Amino acid sequence: NLPYSMPGVVLVEEKKYDAAVTLNQRFVNRILSLDFQRGYYNSVEVQKGMLVRLTRAPEILTDDRTREDEVIMKIRAAYDVSGFQKWFLKKTIEFDAEILVRIAVGADGQPQAIVSRVLPESVKVGNEYIRKKLFSGLIRKIIKGKIKKANKYLAKNPDEQTYSIPVMDSVGSIPLKLRNFLADSSGNFMLYFDFLLSDGKNRRNL
């Protein structure tokens, strides 16, 4: 957990937006924790035909590996193995992983989370899930191969792992349109909004 620091709203010039809302990393992770408790992550498709179950609440963070439009999501998930993998692994294994996610804002102001890739160095499987310790190196090599294949698939099919993010569309009686999203290295997420007129036009473009 990062200590609180002032958000870097100056990443965008004031003349380019009407209002800025900041969300701290810990606040967002609290929401994810509540979603986890409600069972929203009991079944997550990480790749076409491959389902996992998160075994603890996901967390998001920013660090020197992320750009201003990216976050990293840390997960711990359970996966039921099949086929020849049963010879080497227990029926259900748990693994840790970090996933790079890009936040994009469409022309309609709707933000989307786009899963870019799994960070290979972050994936860890405990020895307690490996039946034959002699083959632990082979198992990890197979897992890295699967990650490489999954990342290639994500690069070619970005729409397969794209999720809409709910965001406020008004404050009081004033309609808003999200213009930009940026994250700073201290774990603050900035949402930049335009005020809209009753006909949906941006007042600053008139």
Side-chain angles (χ1 to χ4, degrees):
N1 290 331
L2 295 175
Y4 176 77
S5 63
M6 291 298 293
V9 292
V10 294
L11 291 173
V12 172
E13 295 179 65
E14 290 184 9
K15 65 181 180 180
K16 293 185 178 180
Y17 64 91
D18 292 322
V21 176
T22 67
L23 301 175
N24 184 262
Q25 169 182 305
R26 283 181 286 185
F27 172 77
V28 177
N29 283 335
R30 175 59 178 160
I31 294 175
L32 293 175
S33 178
L34 292 174
D35 288 346
F36 174 77
Q37 293 175 31
R38 296 184 183 109
Y40 291 167
Y41 307 116
N42 285 342
S43 181
V44 180
E45 189 174 37
V46 294
Q47 188 181 344
K48 198 168 184 177
M50 178 182 177
L51 297 175
V52 301
R53 181 183 74 260
L54 299 195
T55 57
R56 72 178 182 193
E59 296 180 2
I60 58 174
L61 60 89
T62 58
D63 58 24
D64 57 3
R65 296 172 294 176
T66 55
R67 301 181 314 203
E68 293 174 347
D69 63 344
E70 294 176 332
V71 299
I72 288 175
M73 177 171 284
K74 297 177 65 175
I75 66 167
R76 173 170 291 174
Y79 168 60
D80 293 329
V81 302
S82 60
F84 77 93
Q85 296 175 3
K86 291 182 179 179
W87 287 91
F88 307 105
L89 297 168
K90 293 185 178 179
K91 181 180 179 181
T92 301
I93 65 171
E94 287 192 12
F95 64 91
D96 294 314
E98 294 180 344
I99 302 169
L100 189 66
V101 179
R102 183 169 64 88
I103 309 299
V105 180
D108 59 355
Q110 177 62 49
Q112 293 183 320
I114 303 169
V115 177
S116 298
R117 60 190 175 93
V118 179
L119 302 179
E121 68 278 3
S122 71
V123 179
K124 294 179 175 59
V125 178
N127 287 329
E128 64 270 24
Y129 299 106
I130 301 175
R131 292 184 187 277
K132 312 286 186 180
K133 300 299 187 290
L134 178 64
F135 298 104
S136 59
L138 174 62
I139 292 300
R140 288 181 171 84
K141 186 176 180 179
I142 291 173
I143 291 172
K144 286 182 179 180
K146 285 183 173 291
I147 294 168
K148 187 175 181 180
K149 183 179 179 181
N151 284 341
K152 283 185 177 180
Y153 181 83
L154 288 171
K156 292 181 179 179
N157 304 276
D159 292 339
E160 288 286 334
Q161 294 292 333
T162 298
Y163 305 92
S164 294
I165 303 174
V167 67
M168 59 193 237
D169 57 8
S170 66
V171 54
S173 59
I174 304 174
L176 300 173
K177 181 178 180 180
L178 184 64
R179 186 180 183 88
N180 202 356
F181 167 93
L182 292 175
D184 67 15
S185 58
S186 298
N188 296 301
F189 309 115
M190 278 71 68
L191 305 174
Y192 299 91
F193 292 92
D194 284 339
F195 295 143
L196 299 181
L197 300 176
S198 58
D199 60 1
K201 293 182 178 180
N202 177 1
R203 68 168 182 80
R204 291 185 297 105
N205 292 336
L206 299 180

